[in-house]
């Protein structure tokens, strides 16, 4: 095989290959020059889980989600915006082959602007009568990024695993090879964190299209008012949390445990026939009007940034990207022409003045903000009156990812996500309830905690390997001060408490992992995964020169710096 010429590095710091041969050429370059090579999808994982290490003497990237730029230096960071085609292999059976960079849905933050609804996997499938079996809370991700980190939606019934047939992946020697689901190593390849090679193509058998029908209801958490026995084993007429998750096809709960807020927002849905005459009523996370939605999100950004920081100057500085994003969104929603631009600047200017005064006031009288907190959350997330649940019925691609409407900058959210055996749901809920009550804001934070489920998987490094799981996704507003993954950070209290209680857990690989006691945590992870050693042996074989391994992964998986 003759190698294609090497693609050149773009001004954005990425290589943008257009063919598999070009990817192979990049892998060979990395091998020959002892460089690292890593790929990005939509950059929704922690940045250091995605990119290479920086070059010598260059600054490391902040470890954040949605970091669009790679670190500086000679290492190779690859972006697949020119490699995202979808080919129909069998239109009757819904079999497709996609290139690595295809997004599941539209990615509004794609820095190259290549992603559109029309070129997304889900939309192209939809127009031919197909979809994927399950989706995460957003659909901005690329197919490779989603699979490589074991991402999944909130369901014990369905999983994207059902759709996967085969993957073509390029190893550290530059050899591309297909692995089908029948092969033993498929279980390692599908979820391999970019450590076993570069995914080039994915073959899927899609699910015949269905619509989703669901509702969202906000209940108090008090046992008398909540229809789920959140902390108990369930009783006549009231399901335990575990059974609620088992019996609901798609679900997720946002838990606001703070004193005087104490509520759960239950989102639940099931599949239904894609009726030929259908007027979709999409799920609305915010208002059903773009402008109001943007104002709500800007307001939330201001409130959470004030709550999560102690100094006025810092809050004001951190809010500037939110105002810029608000202006951009407003301009877009009003058509993007000259008049829209002018009005967007004007409205943003007015909101900026109001925002400045409010920020100054509340940062001066910080205690007042804490006192008003329950009222503010009540306004943002009111309890549902009987019979007034939000009902939605929609196409899968549009409302199954229920958080697609949340803007990545205005509602910048980072997480640590803990997957525990489903059978330990009650123990974990009890423990959390106790921690939240005793620790108050120090344990609850100001944001909500997401509760959902995951179907067991056969992928060796999946946090749901061989067991159904209960997932606790602790949210962290991205403008908060401090590192939540540090030894005394917000997340560590939960990791340590669950460990002390002997509730065995695994962490979502794309989200925050402990950034302290690396050796201890690497040993802990190893214990949690029965096929850990098999995976690591395969890694050594497929990446003999460690071109896919970075310091980040070396610390988290082996407890030490990359040698
Ligand atoms: C707002 C938000 C909501 C989320 N909701 C959910 C959810 O509901 N459920 C859930 O499980 N997760 C969720 N996540 C996590 C998200 O699904 C993961 O971060 C996922 O990996 C993102 O995909 P991506 O395309 O952005 O990939 P990236 O984050 O860019 O990359 C992910 C990993 O894949 C590697 N990679 C990418 N492409 C390739 C390739 N071609 N070959 C080899 N390696 C590659 C990267 O190096 C990196 O290690 C959410 C994240 C955010 C920020």
């Amino acid at each position: 095989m003759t190698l294609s010429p090497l693609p050149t590095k773009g001004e954005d710091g990425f290589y943008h290959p257009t063919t598999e041969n070009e990817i192979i050429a990049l892998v060979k370059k990395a091998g020959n020059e002892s460089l690292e090579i890593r790929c990005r999808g939509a950059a929704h994982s922690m940045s250091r889980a995605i990119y290479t290490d920086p070059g010598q003497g260059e600054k490391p990237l902040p470890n954040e989600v949605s970091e669009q730029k790679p670190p500086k230096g000679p290492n190779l960071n690859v972006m697949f915006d020119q490699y995202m085609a979808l080919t129909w292999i069998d239109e009757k059976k819904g079999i497709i082959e996609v290139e690595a960079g295809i997004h599941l849905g539209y990615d509004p933050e794609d820095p190259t602007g290549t992603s559109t609804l029309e070129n997304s996997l889900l939309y192209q499938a939809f127009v031919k009568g197909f979809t994927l079996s399950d989706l995460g809370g957003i659909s901005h991700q690329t197919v490779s990024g989603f699979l490589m980190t074991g991402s999944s939606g909130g369901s014990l019934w369905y999983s994207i695993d059902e759709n996967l047939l085969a993957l073509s992946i390029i190893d550290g020697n530059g050899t591309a090879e297909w692995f089908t689901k029948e092969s033993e190593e498929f279980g390692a390849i599908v979820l391999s964190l970019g450590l076993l090679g570069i995914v080039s193509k994915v073959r899927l058998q899609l699910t015949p299209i269905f619509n989703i029908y669901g509702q969202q209801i906000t209940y108090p958490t008090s046992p008398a008012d909540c229809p789920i026995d959140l902390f108990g084993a369930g009783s006549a007429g009231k399901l335990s949390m575990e059974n609620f998750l088992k019996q609901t096809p798609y679900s997720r709960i946002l838990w606001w445990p703070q004193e005087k807020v104490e509520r759960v927002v239950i989102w639940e849905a099931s599949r239904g026939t894609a009726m030929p005459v259908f007027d979709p009523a999409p799920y609305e996370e915010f208002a059903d009007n773009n402008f109001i939605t943007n104002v709500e999100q800007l307001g939330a950004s201001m409130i959470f940034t004030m709550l999560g920081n102690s100094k006025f100057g810092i809050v004001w500085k951190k809010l500037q990207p939110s105002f810029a994003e608000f202006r951009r969104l407003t301009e877009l929603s009003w058509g993007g022409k000259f008049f829209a631009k002018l009005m967007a600047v004007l409205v943003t200017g007015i909101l900026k003045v109001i925002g400045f005064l409010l920020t100054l006031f509340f940062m001066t009288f910080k205690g007042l903000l804490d006192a008003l907190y329950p009222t503010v959350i009540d306004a943002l997330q009111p309890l549902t009156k009987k019979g007034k649940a939000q009902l939605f019925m929609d196409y899968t691609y549009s409302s199954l990812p229920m958080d697609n409407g949340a803007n990545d900058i205005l509602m910048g959210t980072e997480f640590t996500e803990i997957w525990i055996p489903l059978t330990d749901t009650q123990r974990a809920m009890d423990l959390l309830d106790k921690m939240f009550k005793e620790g108050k804001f120090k344990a609850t934070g100001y944001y909500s905690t997401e509760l959902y489920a995951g179907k067991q998987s056969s992928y060796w490094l999946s946090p749901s390997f061989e067991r159904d799981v209960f997932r606790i996704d602790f949210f962290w507003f991205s403008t908060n001060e401090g590192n939540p993954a540090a030894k005394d950070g917000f997340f560590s209290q939960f990791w340590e408490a669950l460990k002390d209680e002997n509730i065995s857990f695994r962490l979502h690989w794309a989200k925050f992992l402990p950034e302290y006691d690396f050796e201890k945590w690497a040993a802990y992870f190893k214990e949690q995964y029965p096929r850990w050693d098999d995976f690591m042996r395969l890694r050594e074989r497929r990446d003999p020169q460690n071109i896919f391994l970075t310091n980040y992964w070396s610390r988290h998986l082996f407890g030490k710096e990359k040698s």
Side-chain angles (χ1 to χ4, degrees), residues 38-39 41-45 49-50 137 141-142 145 149 151-152 199 471 508 510:
R38 301 275 310 170
C39 309
H44 275 64
S45 306
I50 304 173
Q141 304 96 327
T142 58
T149 56
S151 295
S152 69
V199 177
R471 299 158 67 177
H508 193 312

Side-chain angles (χ1 to χ4, degrees), residues 84-86 102-106 113-124:
M84 48 191 278
L86 179 151
I102 194 165
H103 291 260
L104 298 177
Y106 164 55
T114 318
S115 167
T116 62
L117 175 66
E118 290 73 20
N119 66 22
S120 69
L121 188 159
L122 286 164
Y123 191 78
Q124 293 188 65

Side-chain angles (χ1 to χ4, degrees), residues 135-284:
L135 299 169
I138 53 164
S139 61
H140 309 161
Q141 304 96 327
T142 58
V143 71
S144 320
F146 193 81
L147 295 175
M148 283 289 103
T149 56
S151 295
S152 69
S155 179
L156 291 167
W157 293 31
Y158 310 110
S159 154
I160 195 176
D161 302 359
E162 294 151 32
N163 299 116
L164 267 185
L165 294 179
L167 259 92
S168 159
I169 184 165
I170 300 159
D171 71 10
N173 298 317
T175 308
E177 190 182 348
W178 278 98
F179 289 85
T180 64
K181 67 175 182 184
E182 291 76 27
S183 70
E184 159 73 4
E185 287 167 347
F186 191 69
I189 297 288
V190 175
L191 193 179
S192 49
L193 310 171
L195 295 170
L196 300 187
I198 298 187
V199 177
S200 171
K201 292 177 186 161
V202 182
R203 204 172 297 147
L204 300 133
Q205 175 150 27
L206 300 166
T207 307
I209 203 155
F210 55 88
N211 289 337
I212 60 157
Y213 299 83
Q215 52 179 208
Q216 176 170 285
I217 321 166
T218 305
Y219 290 105
T221 47
S222 49
D225 301 304
C226 187
I228 305 172
D229 186 1
L230 292 171
F231 313 107
S235 55
K238 199 174 271 207
L239 289 174
S240 65
M241 181 69 156
E242 180 180 335
N243 282 330
F244 164 78
L245 295 169
K246 277 186 183 157
Q247 292 181 25
T248 315
Y250 297 102
S251 67
R252 82 92 180 261
I253 292 179
L254 291 180
W255 182 11
W256 295 87
Q258 298 82 359
E259 203 175 357
K260 297 197 185 134
V261 179
E262 294 145 319
R263 63 196 58 195
V264 279
V265 184
I266 301 175
W267 181 103
E268 53 183 3
S270 70
R271 291 182 179 186
T273 307
M275 296 178 291
V277 177
F278 186 64
D279 184 13
Y283 166 70
E284 306 286 359

Side-chain angles (χ1 to χ4, degrees), residues 301-478:
S301 172
M302 288 179 56
I303 291 163
F304 288 118
T305 305
M306 286 193 276
L307 287 165
N309 290 277
S310 46
K311 292 202 173 75
F312 165 76
I314 291 179
V315 170
W316 190 241
K317 192 165 162 220
K318 286 184 177 176
L319 283 174
Q320 296 317 301
S322 292
F323 283 112
E325 181 67 357
F326 175 82
R327 187 190 47 69
R328 190 185 72 81
L329 293 173
T330 307
E331 185 184 309
L332 274 181
S333 70
W334 287 343
K337 299 246 166 68
F338 175 75
F339 193 63
K341 281 189 181 150
L342 195 71
M343 286 305 290
V345 170
L346 200 72
V347 172
T348 309
I350 294 170
L351 289 177
K352 231 174 169 174
V353 173
I354 299 172
F356 179 84
L357 295 173
L358 285 175
T359 309
L360 189 61
F361 178 77
F362 282 116
M363 291 311 289
T364 311
F365 304 103
K366 192 87 197 296
L368 197 59
L369 193 61
D370 275 3
L372 285 176
Y373 174 81
T375 316
V376 172
I377 300 302
D378 191 43
L380 290 173
Q381 201 78 81
L383 294 170
T384 309
K385 294 204 177 79
K386 190 125 189 73
K388 297 286 179 198
Q390 180 188 160
L391 306 180
F392 52 91
M393 40 188 169
D394 198 6
Y395 305 122
T396 321
Y397 76 83
S398 167
S399 284
L400 191 52
M402 76 293 277
D403 292 330
N404 261 350
N407 180 277
D408 286 342
I409 294 173
L410 296 175
M411 295 299 294
T413 305
E414 293 171 333
F415 334 75
T416 192
E417 190 173 311
I418 301 180
W419 301 34
I420 64 166
L422 189 68
T423 44
D424 278 333
T425 304
Q426 191 187 339
R427 283 178 68 205
M429 284 299 288
D430 271 344
L431 176 67
L432 280 189
D433 188 39
K434 198 161 148 259
M435 288 179 76
F436 287 157
K437 284 192 173 124
E438 282 170 8
K440 305 240 173 352
F441 281 134
K442 194 173 172 304
T444 60
Y446 294 101
Y447 212 169
S448 58
T449 297
E450 185 179 42
L451 308 172
Y452 58 151
K455 194 175 170 183
Q456 68 168 286
S457 156
S458 56
Y459 306 143
W460 305 357
L461 283 198
S462 168
S464 63
F465 181 68
E466 290 185 341
R467 64 193 196 198
D468 285 339
V469 290
F470 173 49
R471 299 158 67 177
I472 311 169
D473 195 11
F474 292 97
F475 288 180
W476 174 257
F477 207 71
S478 56

Side-chain angles (χ1 to χ4, degrees), residues 45-46 48-50 147-151 191-193 195 415-417 419 459-464 506-514 521-522 524-526 528-529 532 535-536 552-553 556-557:
S45 306
M46 303 307 299
R48 294 185 194 166
I50 304 173
L147 295 175
M148 283 289 103
T149 56
S151 295
L191 193 179
S192 49
L193 310 171
L195 295 170
F415 334 75
T416 192
E417 190 173 311
W419 301 34
Y459 306 143
W460 305 357
L461 283 198
S462 168
S464 63
R506 301 169 182 158
L507 297 179
H508 193 312
W509 294 111
K511 305 189 176 185
F512 267 112
L513 305 174
W521 285 110
Y524 184 76
F525 295 148
K526 182 172 149 80
Q528 305 309 313
Y529 291 89
W532 183 272
F535 182 91
M536 295 311 162
Y552 177 86
W553 286 117
H556 287 294
L557 301 178

